[in-house]
Amino acid sequence: MEDLTKHLEVVLEHVKVSQFYGFGCGMGSYVLLDFASKYPQRLKALILINPTAEKSWYFDWFYEKCNIFANNYVKYDRWWVEQFTRRWFHRSTLQENLPLLELHEKLFFRMNQKNVENIQRAFTLRRDIRSDLDKIKCRTIILAADGGLTENEAVAVMAAMKNNPDCSWVKIGYSGVLLPAESPRLILHPINLFLYGSIGTKITKEMLEFSRQVQLEGER
């Protein structure tokens, strides 16, 4: 994973970008956090969706081993892919997201499976960078899926950035790990408020009303 952080630095130097707004989801948020802790002056703001900064848990290690076994011996038949994709979607929205699930399955079969195995292994072997996050001082918003697989890890990121007065937290309901794909409408509102500088009391009041409307829609 550290190589991806180095690659990001190389790309920024090549396109001559001194500062930028960082947007990362899951693995991408880990790379951004690692980069921001090493080069805090390069970030104008951070938008992190289901971020993680901890090393992987034993369950992740076991799950990664199962995926590598499937890749080497059963070549990811449809059953394995269904288990892989359904793990990242919220159980309450599976039925309405079946077309999206099918799309992810098709895209999965088009990937180079060796590359999939390598990136899974690299992410599973990631190091714990929570102790470095206190160096990040830029405006930051963390969006976490309510009840998602990485909710606790997102909470840990927020806790590690407790010394950053411009760090905000928003929990998104009825969503899984793949928030941008599964619930794009739910994340656009808080991101829009964040980019326009409406954080703190204003974003809390508006998000409460927005969350109430979403909950009512979900109960209908």
Side-chain angles (χ1 to χ4, degrees), residues 62-72 76 80 84 120:
F62 177 75
Y63 187 76
E64 185 259 342
K65 292 299 181 184
C66 289
N67 277 299
I68 291 177
F69 173 83
N71 183 49
N72 291 332
Y76 277 121
W80 276 101
F84 183 85
Q120 283 180 333

Side-chain angles (χ1 to χ4, degrees), residues 78-89:
R78 184 173 180 81
W79 184 87
W80 276 101
V81 175
E82 285 183 354
Q83 306 314 306
F84 183 85
T85 52
R86 287 176 186 271
R87 181 173 184 256
W88 303 107
F89 287 83

Side-chain angles (χ1 to χ4, degrees), residues 25 49-50 143-145 172-173 175-184 186-187:
C25 178
I49 299 178
N50 289 327
L143 297 98
I172 307 294
S175 301
V177 175
L178 297 177
L179 269 174
E182 186 180 6
S183 305
L186 297 184
I187 67 173

Side-chain angles (χ1 to χ4, degrees), residues 2 41 70 79 102 120 131 155 176 185 187 197 216-217:
E2 292 181 356
Q41 73 283 358
W79 184 87
E102 293 175 357
Q120 283 180 333
S131 61
V155 172
R185 185 176 67 86
I187 67 173
L216 291 175
E217 291 178 9

